[in-house]
Amino acid sequence: MNNTGRLKSSSSELDLDRPNIEDYLPSGSTIQQEPHGKLSLHDLLNISPTLSEAAGAIVDDSFTRCFKSNPPEPWNWNLYLFPLWCFGVVIRYLILFPIRVIGLTLGWIIFLSSFIPVHFLLKGHDKLRRSIERSLVEMMCSFFVASWTGVVKYHGPRPSRRPKQVFVANHTSMIDFIVLEQMTAFAVIMQKHPGWVGLLQSTILESLGCIWFNRAEAKDREIVAKKLRDHVQGADNNPLLIFPEGTCVNNHYTVMFKKGAFELGCTVCPVAIKYNKIFVDAFWNSRKQSFTMHLLQLMTSWAVVCDVWYLEPQNLKPGETPIEFAERVRDIISLRAGLKKVPWDGYLKYSRPSPKHRERKQQSFAELVLRRLEEK
């Protein structure tokens, strides 16, 4: 009886997520109820290609949940809370935001007036130059975090520079790098971006030993893999930071980790990042929002609150493949940050069909099922 109850409960839970075919039928159409046993295996085989299409649409719906920002529940639309909300908007936009802009501008002035002379005048003193540049980048990242009134709590020992180790973290936004960088100057592997972010990548961050790639270039994979192997061998290089998901996920889920960071033959140090969405959602949806607008959203919020856990270093076990190693590390990060694991490749985000195309396929499937049922 207990098993039967559990099965019924599971079935009802699945029904909540199951799409209703009638939602995609032409107006006025309904599915006629047929006597039990009328639908044969032959009928199902006849529509199997469309069943595959429909399954793909359902799977895609599950996949897109990883990349959707969840707006907060409205709380201000009543007579006594709305004035308080308006007062908060005035405080955030007319008082806090200008102060934050001034602070960030001051930070850039201090940083550039120090970084440029150090970078060009200490060319022959590489060790001293790299040390000063690391400190300056950490300082600038601290100014960025302060511009969001960032409340970041770090757990665990601070990362150190050692050969043959790489740090891997879940990825929610480009600010993940800033949050981690203010504590330790990492060399990060990152997608090459256009605009002012790309300018920073090719100038300031280049001095940290960061590695850039372009998803559209297949040749970049081999070049990047070689740079990674060379970087982790250097004792004086900055710690290497990799976001193995390869794309920003909404901090509710973790998608599959790419195996590149786990086949370098070195120690992997997991880092778990969890944002508290009480004041703002830190997820960056690059398809809908530029990084500049994302920063403005953070700077006009009350605060960015997050926890960072530096977890126990992991090594490849005997007989373990890099893919299994990656999954084991993902388990550790997901468990610590309270994230749900999903079996999707994050790169599908850049190649999945448009919503209109999915809706057309779903409607086509529903119409074909209706025709098959009416023929009986």
Side-chain angles (χ1 to χ4, degrees):
M1 287 298 292
N2 291 338
N3 290 337
T4 304
R6 279 197 295 269
L7 287 173
K8 288 181 178 179
S9 175
S10 300
S11 176
S12 63
E13 289 174 2
L14 289 173
D15 287 341
L16 294 175
D17 288 335
R18 184 174 294 134
N20 184 4
I21 292 178
E22 292 187 353
D23 291 342
Y24 300 100
L25 297 178
S27 58
S29 300
T30 58
I31 296 179
Q32 301 294 327
Q33 298 294 326
E34 295 292 329
H36 178 70
K38 287 292 186 179
L39 190 63
S40 66
L41 176 62
H42 175 72
D43 297 315
L44 292 176
L45 291 176
N46 283 343
I47 61 171
S48 58
T50 317
L51 281 173
S52 299
E53 297 275 358
I58 296 170
V59 166
D60 186 77
D61 178 68
S62 172
F63 173 79
T64 55
R65 294 177 190 174
C66 304
F67 308 102
K68 286 182 178 178
S69 54
N70 301 312
E73 292 292 331
W75 57 270
N76 55 335
W77 303 120
N78 56 53
L79 192 60
Y80 57 89
L81 286 178
F82 184 69
L84 293 176
W85 179 82
C86 292
F87 178 71
V89 170
V90 171
I91 296 295
R92 288 188 290 118
Y93 282 84
L94 300 184
I95 298 177
L96 291 180
F97 179 61
I99 293 174
R100 291 166 175 174
V101 170
I102 293 171
L104 188 60
T105 303
L106 180 62
W108 275 114
I109 293 172
I110 296 172
F111 174 77
L112 292 176
S113 62
S114 304
F115 184 89
I116 294 174
V118 167
H119 186 72
F120 290 103
L121 297 180
L122 295 179
K123 284 289 188 182
H125 305 79
D126 290 344
K127 190 172 182 179
L128 176 62
R129 176 174 58 84
R130 283 197 296 265
S131 176
I132 296 176
E133 286 176 347
R134 277 196 294 266
S135 299
L136 289 173
V137 170
E138 290 174 5
M139 179 201 70
M140 190 63 232
C141 289
S142 297
F143 273 103
F144 266 108
V145 174
S147 71
W148 321 318
T149 313
V151 181
V152 185
K153 188 174 183 180
Y154 297 92
H155 310 264
R158 179 172 176 167
S160 58
R161 287 189 294 123
R162 296 177 184 175
K164 293 190 176 182
Q165 72 171 5
V166 59
F167 290 80
V168 298
N170 57 299
H171 197 23
T172 305
S173 167
M174 206 187 300
I175 71 167
D176 299 336
F177 167 70
I178 298 175
V179 167
L180 296 176
E181 199 78 5
Q182 76 159 348
M183 177 66 71
T184 303
F186 287 102
V188 68
I189 173 171
M190 188 185 295
Q191 163 76 22
K192 183 68 175 176
H193 290 274
W196 67 272
V197 176
L199 179 62
L200 293 180
Q201 287 179 317
S202 59
T203 53
I204 296 169
L205 297 181
E206 193 77 35
S207 65
L208 298 177
C210 297
I211 301 170
W212 317 120
F213 67 91
N214 189 345
R215 290 189 187 93
E217 295 292 336
K219 295 180 180 179
D220 274 12
R221 295 181 182 179
E222 297 179 4
I223 298 173
V224 167
K226 184 179 184 306
K227 288 182 177 179
L228 289 178
R229 287 191 293 268
D230 294 341
H231 186 97
V232 296
Q233 299 299 325
D236 293 330
N237 292 336
N238 292 323
L240 184 63
L241 173 65
I242 298 178
F243 298 107
E245 290 172 297
T247 188
C248 295
V249 186
N250 64 9
N251 212 228
H252 287 293
Y253 303 90
T254 55
V255 297
M256 288 172 56
F257 280 11
K258 302 296 181 184
K259 65 176 183 177
F262 303 91
E263 53 187 5
L264 297 174
C266 60
T267 300
V268 174
C269 305
V271 181
I273 306 173
K274 181 63 176 179
Y275 291 94
N276 188 326
K277 300 184 180 181
I278 186 171
F279 295 122
V280 67
D281 186 356
F283 170 57
W284 177 39
N285 190 339
S286 58
R287 288 190 162 217
K288 295 183 177 180
Q289 190 180 47
S290 68
F291 187 62
T292 302
M293 293 305 299
H294 181 56
L295 286 180
L296 289 176
Q297 178 186 352
L298 300 180
M299 293 176 69
T300 53
S301 68
W302 287 110
V304 174
V305 182
C306 80
D307 286 271
V308 176
W309 291 272
Y310 297 109
L311 305 174
E312 184 178 350
Q314 304 293 320
N315 289 286
L316 188 69
K317 295 180 179 179
E320 189 176 40
T321 66
I323 294 177
E324 292 170 341
F325 187 21
E327 280 301 297
R328 179 161 61 86
V329 172
R330 183 161 76 114
D331 287 339
I332 294 171
I333 292 176
S334 301
L335 181 63
R336 176 63 274 183
L339 306 175
K340 298 177 184 177
K341 287 180 57 184
V342 292
W344 312 130
D345 184 344
Y347 277 11
L348 293 175
K349 171 184 176 181
Y350 301 96
S351 58
R352 70 181 188 274
S354 67
K356 288 184 179 180
H357 177 73
R358 293 199 307 273
E359 288 173 6
R360 285 197 300 268
K361 289 293 185 181
Q362 289 167 339
Q363 183 170 350
S364 173
F365 165 70
E367 290 172 350
L368 183 54
V369 170
L370 179 64
R371 286 198 302 270
R372 289 292 181 186
L373 292 175
E374 288 177 344
E375 287 172 2
K376 297 301 292 180

